[in-house]
Amino acid sequence: MEESECQKRQFQLCPKFEKTFSILGKRWNGLIIDVLLEEGCQRFGELAAKIPNLSDRVLVERLKELESNGIIERLEDEENSKKVEYRLTEMGQDLRSTMQEIQRWSEKWLIL
């Protein structure tokens, strides 16, 4: 049996694409990004309230990961160190069209 053209090609995953999905594909990250895209700068409690079933512990982990990847930034109030807000960086804002396309795709194809 002869191999098809698709079977002949050696697939190689792009390392940047793989890293992107390791970030965006992690549970809760897309929802955190979506809230920040739609609502702008948010305090921890505001984010937690807008994403049901997300524990505080996991939210802390995800915020740290997104910050370390340059997608969000943590803003501390100079006068009140307990007042912390999170917002998307330029890199995070650049996900807007991607997130809109994912939303469009999900509305077309997914049934709940």
Side-chain angles (χ1 to χ4, degrees):
M1 183 172 214
E2 193 173 314
E3 286 184 288
S4 72
E5 190 62 35
C6 289
Q7 291 170 327
K8 288 179 186 177
R9 281 189 254 149
Q10 180 68 32
F11 178 77
Q12 187 172 3
L13 192 60
C14 170
K16 289 183 177 184
F17 189 77
E18 185 177 8
K19 176 155 176 114
T20 299
F21 267 89
S22 75
I23 298 166
L24 296 180
K26 190 170 249 184
R27 188 165 187 192
W28 306 113
N29 282 355
L31 298 177
I32 293 167
I33 292 166
D34 194 51
V35 169
L36 293 172
L37 280 169
E38 296 301 317
E39 303 289 327
C41 206
Q42 297 285 296
R43 294 186 66 185
F44 183 90
E46 294 170 323
L47 275 169
K50 291 174 181 158
I51 305 173
N53 304 318
L54 173 58
S55 72
D56 287 353
R57 180 187 62 80
V58 173
L59 180 55
V60 167
E61 288 175 11
R62 296 303 186 264
L63 290 171
K64 285 180 181 178
E65 290 171 6
L66 291 169
E67 183 181 14
S68 72
N69 283 294
I71 294 172
I72 66 169
E73 59 186 343
R74 185 178 191 269
L75 306 167
E76 286 187 34
D77 188 317
E78 292 176 13
E79 297 173 12
N80 181 358
S81 63
K82 290 186 178 185
K83 185 177 180 187
V84 176
E85 293 182 315
Y86 297 90
R87 75 173 174 202
L88 293 168
T89 61
E90 181 181 355
M91 181 193 300
Q93 287 288 340
D94 206 28
L95 287 166
R96 183 176 302 280
S97 61
T98 302
M99 297 300 281
Q100 289 170 339
E101 280 301 307
I102 291 169
Q103 178 68 36
R104 186 195 61 72
W105 179 89
S106 67
E107 287 173 3
K108 180 177 180 178
W109 294 104
L110 299 182
I111 299 170
L112 298 180

